[in-house]
Amino acid sequence: MEEKNVIGFKKDEFSIREYIKKSLGKGKVSRVKIEYSPVGEKIMISTSKPGLIIGRGGEKINELTSVLKNKFNLENPYIEIDEIRIPEFDAQLMADEIALSIERMGPLKFKVISYRTLQRIMGAGALGAEIRLSGKLPGSRAKQWRFSQGYLKKTGDPAKVVDRAQALAQTKPGTVGVKVSILSPDAILTDRISVNEEFLEKIKKNIEEETEKVKEKEKTRKGRNKISKKRK
């Protein structure tokens, strides 16, 4: 019985997220996070365009709050906006933007759109990025295309810090799948070695110490050879 309740609860959460993303429009919302407290439900919307989400005088937020109360039976929903300062590091926003561009410009322009988006992401300072497109591009047969640049982890624990997202573009030939992976410069990589001045100084000091030890050993060896020659 508890398992059914958990599944139903998660389905309701998914429905709320999908409704918010659909009502606000593709390309405007990256993530929707729901937190529960005794006071009410806190819904955090991550977006790079907070003005479009809030609306004039907060009318869109008020309308969305009313729908969440009536349609989804939330007692006291509170909507909070989390502004994304650098949208180029957000995989979901980039995936939605590529999907919208393909829908607007057509599937024949997919290479231009992909390379332009990739340059934009890397130009913002990302360590690495990958764009994968699948669908009827550009012919009648479905095919996969890959565009990548920089450094990107694929396996192991460091791969968890890579931001991944997907989107769909509806075109006349058919549906085009878009997958985007971005490694932000702020990502903490456990296997990353940073070489700074302090590290270089330590290496130099170690080399000097090892050199001195070798010289001392050489002097000792020569001294012993001289003594042995005199005895002979």
Side-chain angles (χ1 to χ4, degrees), residues 214-225:
V214 171
K215 285 180 180 180
E216 288 294 329
K217 287 181 179 179
E218 189 66 24
K219 285 180 182 179
T220 305
R221 187 182 65 79
K222 286 181 179 179
R224 287 175 181 174
N225 289 339

Side-chain angles (χ1 to χ4, degrees), residues 98-111:
I98 292 170
L100 288 170
S101 298
I102 291 174
E103 289 175 351
R104 185 172 61 253
M105 299 172 65
L108 294 177
K109 297 284 185 180
F110 73 97
K111 286 187 180 180

Side-chain angles (χ1 to χ4, degrees), residues 142-198:
K143 190 178 178 181
Q144 286 193 357
W145 294 81
R146 177 178 174 269
F147 309 87
S148 65
Q149 191 175 344
Y151 173 81
L152 202 66
K153 277 286 185 180
K154 296 293 184 71
T155 59
D157 288 337
K160 295 177 182 178
V161 299
V162 177
D163 187 22
R164 293 181 173 86
Q166 56 186 13
L168 295 176
Q170 303 298 337
T171 64
K172 287 183 179 179
T175 302
V176 176
V178 181
K179 290 183 179 180
V180 177
S181 302
I182 300 172
L183 182 58
S184 167
D186 300 325
I188 299 172
L189 298 174
T190 54
D191 61 344
R192 187 177 181 181
I193 300 173
S194 59
V195 180
N196 51 23
E197 290 296 328
E198 185 181 352

Side-chain angles (χ1 to χ4, degrees), residues 26-27 90-107 109-118 120-121 130-133 137 147 165 167-171 176-182:
K26 186 191 289 186
D90 192 284
Q92 188 61 61
L93 291 178
M94 291 296 101
D96 288 339
E97 190 171 313
I98 292 170
L100 288 170
S101 298
I102 291 174
E103 289 175 351
R104 185 172 61 253
M105 299 172 65
K109 297 284 185 180
F110 73 97
K111 286 187 180 180
V112 177
I113 295 167
S114 299
Y115 280 122
R116 189 184 298 164
T117 307
L118 191 63
R120 182 181 162 192
I121 294 168
E130 181 185 71
I131 298 170
R132 287 181 178 269
L133 304 179
L137 298 168
F147 309 87
L168 295 176
Q170 303 298 337
T171 64
V176 176
V178 181
K179 290 183 179 180
V180 177
S181 302
I182 300 172

